[in-house]
Amino acid sequence: MTRAVDGETAPVEQPDQPDRPDQPEQPDQQQASSDAQHPLLRRVLRRRAVLATAVGVLVGGLLGAGTVAWRTDTLPLLGPAPCWDSLSDSTVSSLFGDRRTEVEEQALQTDPYGRGLSYGQCRITSYKGDTAKRQLTVRVHQLDGLHGSDGRQWPEEFLAAGMVALGEGLPGMVSSSRAWLTLPQSCTGKPDQFEGPVVVDVGMGPADLDVSSEYEREDRAALAHAVVDATNGVIRELGCSGVYRSPDLPKDVVAWRDTQPDTFCGIKGLTLPSGYRKDLSRTRISGDGGGARICEASGSNPRAAVRMTTVVDPALTAVFSQDLLKGGSSFKGAHGFGSFNVSRAVYRTQCQTGDVIFIVEQKDRFGERDFTFVHDLLPAYVEAETSRIGCGQEKVTLPQG
């Protein structure tokens, strides 16, 4: 875990469009300087406001046990920050501009009826008049590998090719609509077998929404700071020490590009068979340095037709335990094992850094072919990827039929 001083971003100036926040007004320079010089006072006053249930707190209409709801436009200037007193003013401004926001927040505690996986969530909705415009949902939960509840939907949204790493020392990833960051094991404890890490994840709007690169870059930066802010707040709320530093994102956003069949998904030695080249003419690859490398390919349709994922963070590999053990027909490789069906294959092997997972998915039928992509590509993908990441060259043969 990296200790550092938490930085704040400047408010993002954005045009006033129906689906985007208003351009925030610039704060008074003297007031901003005073607030920056007295963070402890601000924190103490915020916590006193929470304990006293300051004027403007809305009682009733609660989401569940331990939930508090309030309208930010009714709080005093130094009232509690949203989501466990974590989101900085500049982060909130970059997400919602100067629009009115309403916050619904659950107390952080394990859910006895949910196998102890859920800690709680926070939701912020912005309004223009009476119309809801944007909504941010922050969840704190342990990724489930034993029962398979997170093996499909969570990777679908939070391990997508549009994501990039948050930066060195930050075990998480971010796109313009989703972000996640792992809580340190020193705070949450080491997971048992088949249990994933405890994560803070953030969602805003539909997953993988196509927007212009300018807006994508701005929203990605805003979500990156939101997930780091929220995670630091959770660490503090759970009584742990340490602070994650501010994110350090690449300048460029992930874009669709023409497929290079001889180095499919940017992997040396991986060739896309000629029968797939017309229907998989475009490819996009997630940024380097994250816990997973994701490649998606499609034709003219902007939605991915196939996805190939290499999970190199050993803490995340347990999330795929159900598919690995019960996802279909079993098969073995030189140093690992897996399972496959017509639309998905999961394979695990050992690397110098620990367990590594390889996933190949065909998400839709395309062209005149049936669901053949997984069977045709998995062996070559595993062989090329193990070589690329320095795990030797793993040989895998799938059974016929």
Side-chain angles (χ1 to χ4, degrees), residues 41 113 132 181 242 276 295 316 352 383 392:
L41 174 62
Y113 298 105
L181 183 56
Y276 294 106
C295 172
L316 289 178
Q352 295 90 334
E383 182 176 340

Side-chain angles (χ1 to χ4, degrees), residues 153-166:
Q153 188 59 41
W154 193 84
E156 179 72 19
E157 296 188 27
F158 293 93
L159 292 182
M163 308 197 82
V164 298
L166 287 167

Side-chain angles (χ1 to χ4, degrees), residues 324 329-340 346-350 358 378-379 382-383 386 393-399:
L324 186 68
S329 300
S330 300
F331 67 97
K332 292 184 178 181
H335 304 96
F337 67 95
S339 68
F340 79 103
V346 180
Y347 181 77
R348 184 177 75 184
T349 190
Q350 277 272 330
F358 304 94
L378 178 76
V382 170
E383 182 176 340
T386 50
Q393 199 171 61
E394 187 83 346
K395 295 289 185 180
V396 171
T397 302
L398 291 180

Side-chain angles (χ1 to χ4, degrees), residues 152 320-332 337-347 360 374-375 378 398-401:
R152 295 294 182 100
F320 304 95
S321 297
Q322 276 287 92
D323 274 345
L324 186 68
L325 299 173
K326 302 179 182 180
S329 300
S330 300
F331 67 97
K332 292 184 178 181
F337 67 95
S339 68
F340 79 103
N341 54 51
V342 294
S343 63
R344 182 179 172 97
V346 180
Y347 181 77
V360 176
V374 170
H375 196 279
L378 178 76
L398 291 180
Q400 296 295 325

Side-chain angles (χ1 to χ4, degrees), residues 228-276:
V228 172
D229 278 359
T231 304
N232 284 333
V234 171
I235 291 172
R236 184 175 59 248
E237 193 76 9
L238 295 179
C240 305
S241 60
V243 178
Y244 278 131
R245 66 173 181 82
S246 294
D248 182 17
L249 305 181
K251 180 179 178 181
D252 296 330
V253 297
V254 179
W256 289 96
R257 305 187 185 280
D258 291 341
T259 295
Q260 302 299 316
D262 295 334
T263 54
F264 185 51
C265 287
I267 303 169
K268 182 180 179 181
L270 182 60
T271 300
L272 182 67
S274 58
Y276 294 106

Side-chain angles (χ1 to χ4, degrees), residues 137-321:
T137 301
V138 183
R139 300 183 303 169
V140 186
H141 61 116
Q142 182 170 16
L143 294 174
D144 169 41
L146 182 60
H147 298 89
S149 61
D150 289 316
R152 295 294 182 100
Q153 188 59 41
W154 193 84
E156 179 72 19
E157 296 188 27
F158 293 93
L159 292 182
M163 308 197 82
V164 298
L166 287 167
E168 185 178 356
L170 297 173
M173 302 181 75
V174 62
S175 69
S176 60
S177 62
R178 296 292 185 271
W180 61 273
L181 183 56
T182 301
L183 285 166
Q185 289 186 10
S186 60
C187 182
T188 60
K190 185 177 180 180
D192 293 334
Q193 188 180 19
F194 305 123
E195 290 182 346
V198 179
V199 299
V200 178
D201 62 41
V202 176
M204 183 174 63
D208 232 10
L209 179 67
D210 281 337
V211 296
S212 68
S213 59
E214 177 187 357
Y215 288 155
E216 184 173 357
R217 190 177 292 109
E218 293 172 356
D219 287 346
R220 189 182 68 177
L223 282 187
H225 283 274
V227 76
V228 172
D229 278 359
T231 304
N232 284 333
V234 171
I235 291 172
R236 184 175 59 248
E237 193 76 9
L238 295 179
C240 305
S241 60
V243 178
Y244 278 131
R245 66 173 181 82
S246 294
D248 182 17
L249 305 181
K251 180 179 178 181
D252 296 330
V253 297
V254 179
W256 289 96
R257 305 187 185 280
D258 291 341
T259 295
Q260 302 299 316
D262 295 334
T263 54
F264 185 51
C265 287
I267 303 169
K268 182 180 179 181
L270 182 60
T271 300
L272 182 67
S274 58
Y276 294 106
R277 295 180 183 181
K278 178 181 178 181
D279 297 303
L280 301 177
S281 59
R282 301 189 311 145
T283 309
R284 65 174 184 169
I285 307 166
S286 64
D288 295 329
R293 183 183 191 270
I294 308 103
C295 172
E296 295 172 343
S298 74
S300 57
N301 191 317
R303 297 189 64 83
V306 300
R307 181 184 291 188
M308 308 172 79
T309 306
T310 301
V311 182
V312 295
D313 182 350
L316 289 178
T317 58
V319 178
F320 304 95
S321 297

